[in-house]
Amino acid sequence: MLHFSPWKTAAVLALCALGVLFALPNVLPKSVLDSYPSWFPPRTIVLGLDLQGGSQLLLEVDGEALARARGVALQEDARRLMREARIGTSEIRLDGKTVSVTLRDPNDLAKAQERLRTLAQPITNTVFGATGELDLQVGQRGSNVATATLTDQGLQARVRQAVDQSLEVVRRRVDQLGTVEPSIQRQGADRILVQVPGLENPQRLKDILGQTAKLEFRLVDPNFPVGQPPSGAIPSGSELLYEEGGGQNIPVVVERRVIVSGEDLQDAQPSFEQNTREPVVSFRFNNRGAQAFAQVTRENVGRPFAIVLDNKVISAPVIREPITGGQGQISGSFTVESANDLSVLLRAGALPAPLNVIEERTVGPGLGQDSIDAGTRATWYAAAFVVVFMFATYGVFGFFANIALVIHVIFIFALMSLLGATLTLPGIAGIVLTIGTAVDSNVLIYERIREEFRAGRSMVSAVEAGFKHAFAVIIDSNSTMAIAALILFLLGSGPVRGFAVVFLLGILTTVITAVTMTRMMIALWYRRTRPTTMPF
């Protein structure tokens, strides 16, 4: 047990050297890191929001806007179904969550209700699947009015789905801002918590996440010239929108029918217009979008069409010739930053519903530095007490345990650097905790050695028995702690996961340092000194 071959000793020393090499960039100044060789790029631990400062937003899905959008979609679907079934109607009206279809012939009531029922969809959730309930109820009001009402359960299911979709869209948008290790997580039934460490401009984050980014290409109604207020009633198939220009809102009546939507965009990049050198956004459609756009522009040469973003007209150019390449530009009063932000929004995709900022927090780097200083002091104090205790209790064996403890902490920082893990204030607490638990394994080994020596074994035999019999206990105790830490990582979020990551890495390195390294140091010490009595 106390025999260590030269290659094993070399392997342990090489592992320690690698740990120091990967952990060292965390304490070196940036000027030194810039001089690192290209084949070994330095990686440092990412500090969390509570340590380096940054922005935190609590977003809430706009349930009312989602219900209104669902109601408008239900009204359009009802109009389409009645037209396809050749059912005569005098009015299709939306009242809150209810769509009322007034029939010309009361005898068509049953047929209209049957068609409306095809719009009902079962309500599902991620745990139980289909619940047997529907998202709308079909009824009647009088003898010639069929109704379809959105249920509260259906709207709640829509909100849950919107949160799930928004999480991915928000993550894509934040990632394209170039931030490091943002934390984006669900909170409650309809909220999303976004934490972006190191972000210097929180207003830009609000602007990026506050837009739905629903892009649509629509034809302008030919009966209403662009820029002139509508002189008559707007037909049901069109609506009045506005374009910002010269500090004024320019009225534009556009058709409700969407030619191509943002879902058909394949890419969007900021660029400059060749003649004027003004910032624009260049876009490219996928095959389906390119074919639809080419067909509409081919059939409507000389007619203006509107580029609509979140129900605001960005521009309304005239179709001079068929656009068949599937590419185009969005021009407007863009700055370089606004063109870049719009391209980010379009690439990330549209949110299913608006997100309202209900809470905003900004953590300054000074407050984060105070947390780092406090955590550093706590770590030094804990390490100092542990070192003194181990050396006073176990003598030279305690000294070996203290050396292994230093390597243990270095390994934690090296692994966190390699994994790109985020260090938070609870993570520092995890390091302090692992300092105490790391030497716990040495205590188990040393106490077992003391018992074996008192039972009459020789020193070599007692050391070998101590390491052999305590190893199983060490594995069992660390396994139970690892299971608890793994559950915290899988089910927890934010600071809890930061604590769990550090604790898991501490448990992993404990087994290496407390058993292998201390055994190697004791073996080398015994080979040199050949003691006959126990040093503690």
Coordinates of all heavy atoms in Angstrom, one line a residue, residues 38-79:
S38 N -0.6 31.0 -28.2 CA -1.8 30.8 -28.9 C -2.3 29.4 -28.7 O -3.5 29.1 -28.8 CB -1.7 31.1 -30.3 OG -0.7 30.4 -30.9
W39 N -1.4 28.4 -28.5 CA -1.9 27.0 -28.4 C -2.4 26.7 -27.1 O -3.0 25.6 -26.8 CB -0.7 26.1 -28.7 CG 0.5 26.3 -27.9 CD1 1.6 27.1 -28.2 CD2 0.8 25.8 -26.6 NE1 2.5 27.1 -27.2 CE2 2.1 26.3 -26.2 CE3 0.2 24.9 -25.7 CZ2 2.6 26.0 -24.9 CZ3 0.7 24.6 -24.5 CH2 2.0 25.1 -24.1
F40 N -2.3 27.6 -26.1 CA -2.8 27.4 -24.8 C -3.6 28.7 -24.4 O -3.1 29.5 -23.6 CB -1.8 27.1 -23.8 CG -2.3 26.8 -22.4 CD1 -2.9 25.5 -22.1 CD2 -2.3 27.7 -21.4 CE1 -3.4 25.2 -20.9 CE2 -2.7 27.4 -20.1 CZ -3.3 26.2 -19.9
P41 N -4.8 28.9 -24.9 CA -5.6 30.1 -24.6 C -6.0 30.0 -23.1 O -6.6 29.0 -22.7 CB -6.8 30.0 -25.5 CG -6.9 28.6 -25.9 CD -5.5 28.0 -25.9
P42 N -5.8 31.0 -22.3 CA -6.1 31.0 -20.9 C -7.7 31.1 -20.7 O -8.3 31.9 -21.4 CB -5.5 32.3 -20.3 CG -5.3 33.2 -21.5 CD -5.1 32.3 -22.7
R43 N -8.2 30.3 -19.8 CA -9.6 30.3 -19.5 C -9.8 30.6 -18.0 O -9.1 30.0 -17.2 CB -10.3 29.0 -19.9 CG -10.1 28.5 -21.3 CD -10.9 27.3 -21.6 NE -12.3 27.6 -21.5 CZ -13.3 26.7 -21.8 NH1 -13.0 25.5 -22.2 NH2 -14.6 27.0 -21.7
T44 N -10.6 31.6 -17.8 CA -10.8 32.0 -16.4 C -12.3 31.7 -16.0 O -13.2 31.5 -16.8 CB -10.6 33.5 -16.2 OG1 -11.5 34.2 -17.1 CG2 -9.1 33.8 -16.6
I45 N -12.5 31.7 -14.7 CA -13.8 31.4 -14.1 C -14.7 32.6 -14.4 O -14.3 33.8 -14.2 CB -13.7 31.2 -12.6 CG1 -12.9 29.9 -12.3 CG2 -15.1 31.1 -12.0 CD1 -12.7 29.6 -10.9
V46 N -15.9 32.4 -14.8 CA -16.9 33.4 -15.1 C -17.6 33.8 -13.8 O -18.1 32.9 -13.0 CB -18.0 33.0 -16.1 CG1 -19.0 34.1 -16.3 CG2 -17.3 32.6 -17.4
L47 N -17.5 35.1 -13.4 CA -18.1 35.6 -12.2 C -19.6 35.8 -12.4 O -20.0 36.3 -13.5 CB -17.5 36.8 -11.7 CG -16.0 36.7 -11.3 CD1 -15.5 38.1 -10.9 CD2 -15.8 35.7 -10.3
G48 N -20.4 35.4 -11.5 CA -21.9 35.6 -11.6 C -22.3 37.0 -11.4 O -21.5 37.9 -11.1
L49 N -23.6 37.3 -11.5 CA -24.2 38.6 -11.4 C -23.9 39.2 -10.0 O -23.6 40.4 -9.9 CB -25.7 38.5 -11.6 CG -26.4 39.9 -11.5 CD1 -26.1 40.8 -12.6 CD2 -27.9 39.6 -11.4
D50 N -23.9 38.4 -8.9 CA -23.7 38.9 -7.6 C -22.2 39.2 -7.3 O -21.9 39.9 -6.3 CB -24.2 38.0 -6.6 CG -23.7 36.5 -6.7 OD1 -23.0 36.3 -7.7 OD2 -24.0 35.7 -5.9
L51 N -21.3 38.9 -8.2 CA -19.9 39.1 -8.0 C -19.3 40.2 -8.9 O -18.5 41.0 -8.5 CB -19.1 37.8 -8.1 CG -19.4 36.7 -7.1 CD1 -18.5 35.5 -7.3 CD2 -19.2 37.2 -5.7
Q52 N -19.7 40.2 -10.2 CA -19.1 41.2 -11.1 C -20.1 42.3 -11.5 O -19.8 43.2 -12.2 CB -18.6 40.5 -12.3 CG -19.7 39.9 -13.3 CD -19.1 39.6 -14.6 OE1 -18.4 40.4 -15.2 NE2 -19.4 38.4 -15.1
G53 N -21.3 42.2 -10.9 CA -22.3 43.2 -11.3 C -23.0 42.8 -12.6 O -22.6 41.9 -13.3
G54 N -24.0 43.6 -13.0 CA -24.8 43.3 -14.2 C -26.2 43.7 -14.1 O -26.6 44.5 -13.2
S55 N -27.1 43.1 -14.9 CA -28.5 43.5 -15.0 C -29.3 42.3 -14.7 O -29.0 41.2 -15.1 CB -28.8 44.1 -16.3 OG -28.1 45.3 -16.6
Q56 N -30.5 42.5 -14.1 CA -31.4 41.5 -13.8 C -32.8 42.0 -14.1 O -33.2 43.1 -13.7 CB -31.4 41.0 -12.3 CG -32.5 40.1 -12.0 CD -32.5 39.6 -10.5 OE1 -31.5 39.0 -10.1 NE2 -33.5 39.9 -9.8
L57 N -33.6 41.3 -15.0 CA -34.9 41.6 -15.3 C -35.9 40.5 -15.0 O -35.5 39.3 -15.2 CB -35.0 42.0 -16.8 CG -34.2 43.1 -17.4 CD1 -34.4 43.3 -18.9 CD2 -34.6 44.4 -16.7
L58 N -37.0 40.9 -14.5 CA -38.1 39.9 -14.3 C -39.2 40.2 -15.3 O -39.8 41.3 -15.2 CB -38.6 40.0 -12.8 CG -39.7 38.9 -12.5 CD1 -39.1 37.5 -12.7 CD2 -40.2 39.1 -11.0
L59 N -39.4 39.3 -16.2 CA -40.3 39.6 -17.3 C -41.6 38.8 -17.1 O -41.6 37.7 -16.5 CB -39.7 39.2 -18.6 CG -38.3 39.8 -19.0 CD1 -37.8 39.2 -20.2 CD2 -38.4 41.3 -19.1
E60 N -42.7 39.3 -17.5 CA -44.0 38.7 -17.4 C -44.7 38.6 -18.7 O -44.8 39.6 -19.4 CB -44.9 39.4 -16.4 CG -46.2 38.7 -16.1 CD -47.1 39.5 -15.1 OE1 -47.2 40.7 -15.2 OE2 -47.6 38.9 -14.2
V61 N -45.2 37.5 -19.1 CA -45.9 37.3 -20.4 C -47.2 38.1 -20.3 O -48.0 38.0 -19.3 CB -46.2 35.8 -20.7 CG1 -47.1 35.7 -21.9 CG2 -44.9 35.1 -20.9
D62 N -47.5 38.9 -21.3 CA -48.7 39.7 -21.3 C -49.9 38.8 -21.6 O -50.2 38.5 -22.8 CB -48.6 40.9 -22.3 CG -49.7 41.9 -22.2 OD1 -50.7 41.6 -21.6 OD2 -49.5 43.0 -22.6
G63 N -50.6 38.3 -20.6 CA -51.7 37.4 -20.9 C -52.9 38.0 -21.6 O -53.5 37.4 -22.4
E64 N -53.1 39.3 -21.3 CA -54.2 40.0 -22.0 C -53.9 40.2 -23.5 O -54.8 40.0 -24.3 CB -54.4 41.4 -21.4 CG -54.9 41.3 -19.9 CD -55.2 42.7 -19.3 OE1 -55.0 43.7 -20.1 OE2 -55.6 42.8 -18.2
A65 N -52.7 40.5 -23.8 CA -52.4 40.6 -25.3 C -52.5 39.3 -25.9 O -52.9 39.2 -27.1 CB -51.0 41.2 -25.4
L66 N -52.0 38.3 -25.2 CA -52.1 36.9 -25.8 C -53.6 36.5 -26.0 O -53.9 35.9 -27.0 CB -51.4 35.9 -24.8 CG -51.2 34.5 -25.4 CD1 -50.2 34.6 -26.5 CD2 -50.6 33.6 -24.3
A67 N -54.5 36.9 -25.1 CA -55.9 36.5 -25.2 C -56.5 37.3 -26.4 O -57.3 36.8 -27.2 CB -56.7 36.8 -23.9
R68 N -56.1 38.6 -26.5 CA -56.6 39.4 -27.7 C -56.2 38.8 -29.0 O -57.0 38.7 -29.9 CB -56.2 40.8 -27.5 CG -56.9 41.6 -26.5 CD -56.6 43.1 -26.6 NE -55.2 43.4 -26.6 CZ -54.5 43.8 -25.5 NH1 -55.2 43.8 -24.3 NH2 -53.3 44.1 -25.5
A69 N -54.9 38.4 -29.1 CA -54.4 37.8 -30.3 C -55.1 36.5 -30.6 O -55.4 36.2 -31.8 CB -52.9 37.6 -30.2
R70 N -55.3 35.7 -29.6 CA -56.0 34.4 -29.8 C -57.5 34.7 -30.2 O -58.0 34.0 -31.1 CB -56.0 33.6 -28.5 CG -56.8 32.3 -28.6 CD -56.2 31.4 -29.5 NE -56.9 30.1 -29.5 CZ -57.3 29.5 -30.6 NH1 -57.1 30.0 -31.8 NH2 -58.0 28.4 -30.5
G71 N -58.1 35.7 -29.7 CA -59.5 36.1 -30.1 C -59.5 36.5 -31.5 O -60.4 36.1 -32.3
V72 N -58.6 37.4 -32.0 CA -58.5 37.8 -33.4 C -58.3 36.7 -34.3 O -59.0 36.5 -35.4 CB -57.5 38.9 -33.5 CG1 -57.3 39.2 -35.0 CG2 -57.8 40.2 -32.8
A73 N -57.4 35.8 -33.9 CA -57.1 34.6 -34.8 C -58.4 33.7 -34.8 O -58.7 33.2 -35.9 CB -56.0 33.8 -34.2
L74 N -59.1 33.6 -33.7 CA -60.4 32.8 -33.7 C -61.4 33.4 -34.6 O -62.1 32.7 -35.3 CB -60.9 32.7 -32.3 CG -62.2 31.9 -32.1 CD1 -62.0 30.4 -32.6 CD2 -62.6 31.9 -30.6
Q75 N -61.5 34.7 -34.6 CA -62.4 35.4 -35.5 C -62.1 35.2 -37.0 O -63.0 34.9 -37.8 CB -62.4 36.9 -35.2 CG -63.4 37.8 -36.0 CD -63.3 39.2 -35.7 OE1 -62.2 39.7 -35.2 NE2 -64.3 40.0 -35.9
E76 N -60.8 35.3 -37.3 CA -60.4 35.1 -38.7 C -60.7 33.6 -39.1 O -61.1 33.3 -40.2 CB -59.0 35.4 -38.9 CG -58.7 36.9 -38.7 CD -59.4 37.7 -39.7 OE1 -59.4 37.3 -40.9 OE2 -59.9 38.8 -39.4
D77 N -60.4 32.7 -38.2 CA -60.7 31.2 -38.5 C -62.2 31.0 -38.7 O -62.6 30.2 -39.6 CB -60.1 30.4 -37.4 CG -58.6 30.3 -37.4 OD1 -58.0 30.6 -38.4 OD2 -58.0 30.0 -36.3
A78 N -63.0 31.6 -37.9 CA -64.4 31.5 -38.0 C -64.9 32.0 -39.4 O -65.7 31.4 -40.0 CB -65.2 32.2 -36.9
R79 N -64.4 33.2 -39.7 CA -64.8 33.7 -41.0 C -64.3 32.8 -42.2 O -65.1 32.6 -43.2 CB -64.1 35.1 -41.2 CG -64.5 35.8 -42.5 CD -63.9 37.2 -42.5 NE -64.6 38.1 -41.6 CZ -64.0 38.6 -40.5 NH1 -62.8 38.3 -40.2 NH2 -64.7 39.4 -39.7

